[in-house]
Amino acid sequence: MNQQATPLRRQVLTAIVGVAALAVVLFAIPLAVAVQRLYREEAITTLERDATRIAAVVPDSVVTDPGPVRIPSGLSSRLSVGIYGLGGNHIIGTGPTWSGVAMHARDGRIHEAVEHGALAVAAPVPSEQGLIGVVRVSTPYDKVSDRTQGTWLLMTALALIVLFLATVFARRQAARLAGPLERLTAAAQALGGGDFSIRAQHSGVPEADAAGLALEATARRLGDLLERERAFSADVSHQLRTPLTGMLLGLESSLTRPGADPEAAIRTALKRGEHLQDIIEDLLRLARDSRPAREVLDLTDLLADTRAQWQGPLTAAGRSMTIAGQEPLPEVRASRGAIRQILDVLIDNALRHGQGRITVAAVDVGTGVAIEVGDEGPGVPDGDDIFTRRAPSSAGGGGHGIGLALARSLAEAEGGRLVLRRPAPPVFTLLLPAGEDQAG
């Protein structure tokens, strides 16, 4: 049977207040007993002193000739004084007709006891012939009890104040400890609901702050990942459009053109299909933010493949392309698929939005390699941020869509940079650091 767990706030509050209450009880009970004994001993000591003073002035004839006894000055007005015989019988003064504590004093020592609601002390009266009687002094026991109870009430009030302060402290401490966890719970629920904008709040509790920072990093990571996954479909659509159209046109042409070689068309379609597969794999790696294996890039071979791939579409569009590679070039480590995708974006962009001859050149820039792609078109209008990802519908037919944003993301993932070196006629430059600069 499942039992509902006690909230952390209540656990902390109960623990702190319980410990405080236990400490108060363990301290207060012995202290209360000690206070009671202390006040009683103080009263007895005072009575013993008074009884001794009176016994010193009692005449020897008090038993045989009872008469008024001179009481020393300075005694309490509530003090009851009586002279008793050695058998405990009352002779003169105030007090009960018989006193047990007075009878016990015939042994020559001072005795005390509570009699008839009073705290009494009996002191023997010495003479040259020996003990002749007993002086009994008493005070109402309520006086001692009232003093003790007053102190107990004060101690109880102090204990209640301590418990109140402990409760206030416990509430604050419970809020300090449980608050960050409650915020983390709310943030986790928001994260589960698709809110990736959560941010950690400093609470002063190192463990909770660390958990909050970890949750914030997770939310940011998941948000970035979801954003890349959402962009993946648009990236695929953009990057597959041209090669897929070329493959379909090639197959249709082989079916409609008299004397066409179906086997050659199929081989060409297979090659283009493999290229489509490479495109999908490259985009999946980017969407998942995985770091592709970097190996030495053969730029000469890559440029030759680029020429072969785009020769057909450019010829069909009445355009031409010049590819040049400076020799020798520094060694560059990068994903072949990623660089191929960047070149495809730049060449497709030049084919769609540019004019005249397309030029692709790889040159040594000292710290790496620069691959430049340009055309003879009017270029990029001033103030147009061409590297910002936009929906295709917002391009208005003459915009640059999402291709350049994708190309820049691929370049940065490879440790390089993609910039617009010249707006008109447009020249895009892909900068790739040399192999030794990519060690990190």
Side-chain angles (χ1 to χ4, degrees), residues 21 62 66 85 90 94 96 98 109 130 158 163 169 207 221 248 255 264 270 318-319 322 342-343 351 394-395 426 435:
V62 68
H90 180 263
T94 59
W98 184 87
R109 293 181 297 177
L158 292 176
L163 291 179
F169 172 77
E207 293 79 2
R221 177 75 173 180
L248 293 176
L255 292 175
L270 288 175
R319 303 279 294 278
T322 299
I342 297 172
L343 292 178
L351 177 61
S394 67

Side-chain angles (χ1 to χ4, degrees), residues 176-196:
R176 178 175 179 268
L177 295 176
L181 299 182
E182 293 170 353
R183 290 193 293 270
L184 285 175
T185 300
Q189 293 173 344
L191 179 59
D195 182 6
F196 303 105

